[in-house]
Amino acid sequence: MRTKILIGLCVSAGVILGGCGSKADDPDATGTNPTTPPTDTEDPSGTVDPSDTGDPSDTEDPSGPSDTTAGTNPDPSASGGFITDPDGGTGVEIECDVWAQDCAKDQKCMPWANDGGLSWNATRCSALDPNPAQIGDECTAEGGGVSGIDNCELGAMCWNTDEANLGTCVGFCEGSEANPVCPDPSTACAIANGGVLILCLPTCDPLLTDCNEGENCYPIDDSFACAPDAGGEEGVFGDACEFLNFCDPGLYCAAAAAVPNCQGSQGCCSSFCDITEPGASAECPGAAGGQECVPWYEEGQALPMLEDVGGCAIPM
């Protein structure tokens, strides 16, 4: 059983509504994700927060309690972390540069949770294992998935850890934040949690179930990527959420104003929809409360093969 890895979120922001920051606050900005509650954006799992949705998370115990909005109830014993949007890293502390890997010899720059929470919010220099696991290999995260200490090679981290702190080495993006590169064309650079998470994650289509077991397709940065489902038994339509990777398959964490009766939380889970399907708006779970199937991307801005993606939301 995989532990909850929470990607910090400011809830998905997009064309439909404003949300967590720059893109969400600017109605003329290109958007992705019509579902992001107000906060600062750009995510996750730790539950990974998305293209623009992130927030939460000086202690060294990554399994300690964390503050979350009512209704999310992350498991304090989980070793993973929540994903937030790229600009949602409130209080992010940078000790080293994950892009430049500027730590001393025999060390690597790693994201971690320095507040005892479940979401990466800082970087640290950690010892590099003398016989490191390679990207794609099984790995061990010492003390949990957000500890920033593992046995993966330079430029990689142990991702999607289970209760035994075992996971898989996933590579960091290469290049720079302005021009990120992922060597594997089936992956895309997901920048989240205030920029401390820079991972090459498998791309996906939110209208399909094309992620591995235990993972869902979430809006992270300007695209969609497979990330661990941190919601557990929660994450159904209408449930409160504050992290990008909290909602069930086919759902995303939308801005509170986008979901009927979403009160007292940063956002609530809502459904993706196909804007090319006749009557798509009527099929939205919150149609009676004013939800419509709204295009995820602004006209002409959709990524290839994602032109039909929409989100159920109350138009703003």
Side-chain angles (χ1 to χ4, degrees), residues 59-161:
T59 70
E60 293 211 356
D61 180 7
S63 62
S66 63
D67 294 328
T68 58
T69 34
T72 55
N73 301 323
D75 180 359
S77 66
S79 67
F82 292 86
I83 302 175
T84 62
D85 79 79
D87 299 328
T90 312
V92 167
E93 295 190 13
I94 304 298
E95 176 184 318
C96 55
D97 188 337
V98 284
W99 294 94
Q101 287 297 319
D102 53 355
C103 294
K105 184 180 180 180
D106 299 328
Q107 293 185 334
K108 62 177 183 174
C109 185
M110 289 283 291
W112 73 301
N114 72 351
D115 61 353
L118 294 175
S119 186
W120 300 277
N121 70 328
T123 62
R124 68 187 300 180
C125 290
S126 299
L128 183 62
D129 191 281
N131 185 30
Q134 308 298 299
I135 293 174
D137 290 349
E138 183 178 75
C139 54
T140 301
E142 182 180 324
V146 293
S147 67
I149 304 173
D150 63 32
N151 66 333
C152 292
E153 65 178 319
L154 183 70
M157 67 178 284
C158 198
W159 180 247
N160 198 7
T161 57

Side-chain angles (χ1 to χ4, degrees), residues 31-56:
T32 60
N33 319 355
T35 61
T36 303
T39 340
D40 289 296
T41 86
E42 184 216 338
D43 267 342
S45 192
T47 45
V48 118
D49 325 223
S51 124
D52 307 11
T53 15
D55 19 81

Side-chain angles (χ1 to χ4, degrees), residues 118-215:
L118 294 175
S119 186
W120 300 277
N121 70 328
T123 62
R124 68 187 300 180
C125 290
S126 299
L128 183 62
D129 191 281
N131 185 30
Q134 308 298 299
I135 293 174
D137 290 349
E138 183 178 75
C139 54
T140 301
E142 182 180 324
V146 293
S147 67
I149 304 173
D150 63 32
N151 66 333
C152 292
E153 65 178 319
L154 183 70
M157 67 178 284
C158 198
W159 180 247
N160 198 7
T161 57
D162 60 18
E163 294 174 342
N165 296 330
L166 298 177
T168 303
C169 290
V170 170
F172 292 155
C173 308
E174 299 176 5
S176 66
E177 186 168 1
N179 188 28
V181 176
C182 287
D184 184 347
S186 68
T187 66
C189 180
I191 303 174
N193 294 47
V196 301
L197 273 184
I198 56 166
L199 297 172
C200 287
L201 299 178
T203 56
C204 55
D205 185 332
L207 300 180
L208 304 175
T209 53
D210 53 353
C211 292
N212 292 328
E213 183 178 358
E215 296 185 332

Side-chain angles (χ1 to χ4, degrees), residues 237 258-260 270 279-293 312-315:
F237 178 83
V259 185
S270 190
S281 291
E283 296 298 320
C284 286
Q291 278 197 329
E292 299 178 8
C293 182
C312 290
I314 300 173

